[in-house]
Amino acid sequence: GATLAHSHGDFLHCLSFHLANSSTISKVIYMRNNPSYSSVLNASIQNTRFSTPATPKPLAIITPLKTSHIQSTIYCSKKHGLQLRIRSGGHDFEGLSYVSEVPFVILDLLNFRAVKVDTKNKVAWVQSGATLGELYYGIAAKTKTLAFPAGICPTVGIGGHFSGGGYGILVRKYGLAADHIIDAQLIDANGRILDRKSMGEDLFWAIRGGGGNTFGIVLAWKIKLVPVPVVVTVFTVNKNLEQNVTKILHRWQYIAHKLPDDLYVDVGITKVSSSQAGKKTVQAAFMALFLGGVDELIPLVQERFPELGLAKENCSEMSWAESVLYLGRAPRTSLDMLLDKNVIPRTIFKAKSDYVKEPIPESGIEGFLSMFLEKEADFASMLMVPFGGKMEEIPENELPYPHRAGNLFQASYIVGWRKEENAESGKYISWIRRFYSYMASYVSKSPREAYFNYRDLDIGSNNISGYTSYQQASIWGFKYFKNNFKRLVQVKTMVDPMNFFRNEQSIPPLSSP
Ligand code: FDA
């Protein structure tokens, strides 16, 4: 109570003093009594599980207009013992960029969203507060023959996505978003502005996949763009339980990771109504991107994956930027949809991820498909993303993201529910936990690997106030990073020994501050 109000007041006093210019203050600091506080807070909350009245709220939201505002925010929150949460696109699965159990402020990069594309040198500078859609739009506005290998959801933020790895429909051809970062601008815990050269190769390695809110605030990234043809082809083929889906999924596991790198075929599994009245079935949508024309694609799929029964009617030719909207299941009325903050509906969800190294036998597939028929799975889905290709060539310690060679595919599971059902959310969360334990025998083991950007606090967490030991953080750390966790801890110990930047799954420094 009293101490909290005290530190709150001191923090704001400190920040106002440093910002000096009062006309700026009203555009930069949103306190709880500001009429815009809620709309600024909710603007980028993607998982509405974390926008209820019970969700802990920040003492203030800071929306810096320039780097000095960020330096002042670091200085004042450090001085007055407030935790700082950094937010770019707000897509964190567990809401860690805008929720904390201890008194905190949010630094929201919504004003840092410039995208500068240089087609001549095939590079771009992109600020962390921009979305993937804004980056793709920026590229498409200049050329149809360059692209960037990041995620498919246009509303995802650059800041969190790049700092956790970032994969999308070009993952087999080019690897991860982080694999294409060549420079960055970072503000560290001491308020220093660093670039690749001044931060050094250890820290530059760590920020490309080792997680956000751990090493500093990344303001901007310099990326290498990748070539794509003017025309690409996409397709969707749906198969349900009555159409041999088990056998086709089983075959997919032997084929998808070995296809030519130009062809990416993922699978999305959901419950749907079947043609028989009132009956539900489970459907797998096989969705693909091919970096070439339809006439080349059809014979290729007929030869390599005849079980799919691909026909020309399933295919469409379009530009690469349009294919992002297609595979992201977003409306394709125009490329402007890439800029639309609500192009993907906001939902309430809990998600988990796995990596699969051996094909799952048909009996195992039948088992998980049947779990989708359960009542709790009405808003559940599973996504299977094929690896192989470029992912097979990159060494495990090249970047913090370790899930490379030997993975057939990444699997992720998501369960959702309606707002009215929040009181019963426990049954949905226990469904996904049961699903995850069912999958245990078919996926990676010791550690059971997980994707950092699909954050899951079930796999382990730091102490949110006070010291977290290396041993405790290793529980979740090795799942996300395997042996790279050790180097991440060394870098953290070097650059932020006092553990200023922290959250429930940030890398801890080696000794207690
Ligand atoms: P958010 O702002 O919530 O930040 C996430 C984390 O990074 C937080 O810990 C935050 O503090 C930290 N952070 C953010 N900005 C930072 C900065 N500038 N400097 C330092 N730390 C910072 N992933 C994927 O690989 N491929 C995909 O196709 C998709 N698709 C997808 C769809 C949907 C609907 C969702 C909700 C999520 C995905 N993701 C994904 C996962 C996504 O990559 C992941 O949630 C990212 O961390 C989101 O980044 P944001 O900036 O939006 O999140």
Side-chain angles (χ1 to χ4, degrees), residues 8-26 28-31 60 62 68-69 72-73 75-77 80:
H8 182 183
D10 286 348
F11 168 79
L12 292 169
H13 191 78
C14 173
L15 196 57
S16 318
F17 176 76
H18 278 87
L19 263 42
N21 179 337
S22 59
S23 70
T24 307
I25 291 177
S26 66
V28 175
I29 309 177
Y30 294 85
M31 292 177 272
I62 319 300
S68 65
H69 298 163
S72 305
T73 306
Y75 174 82
C76 296
S77 48
H80 297 289

Side-chain angles (χ1 to χ4, degrees), residues 86 88-92 97 152 157 160-161 167 212-213 218 451 453 455:
I86 309 159
S88 289
H91 279 48
D92 194 291
S97 54
I152 39 172
H161 189 69
Y167 77 89
N213 223 118
V218 185
Y451 177 32
N453 263 344
R455 194 191 300 284

Side-chain angles (χ1 to χ4, degrees), residues 46 85-93 96-98 109 128 150-153 155-161 163 165-168 211-214 216-219 221 344 349 451 453-455 503:
Q46 186 67 25
R85 293 296 165 108
I86 309 159
R87 183 162 78 170
S88 289
H91 279 48
D92 194 291
F93 281 7
L96 298 194
S97 54
Y98 54 88
L109 292 171
S128 286
I152 39 172
C153 172
T155 54
V156 166
I158 300 287
H161 189 69
S163 51
Y167 77 89
N213 223 118
T214 284
I217 298 161
V218 185
L219 292 181
W221 314 77
I344 303 290
F349 66 89
Y451 177 32
N453 263 344
Y454 286 180
R455 194 191 300 284
N503 64 26

Side-chain angles (χ1 to χ4, degrees), residues 54-72:
T55 310
K57 305 282 188 272
L59 298 174
I61 308 161
I62 319 300
T63 60
L65 294 165
K66 41 187 184 184
T67 48
S68 65
H69 298 163
I70 301 178
Q71 291 166 311
S72 305

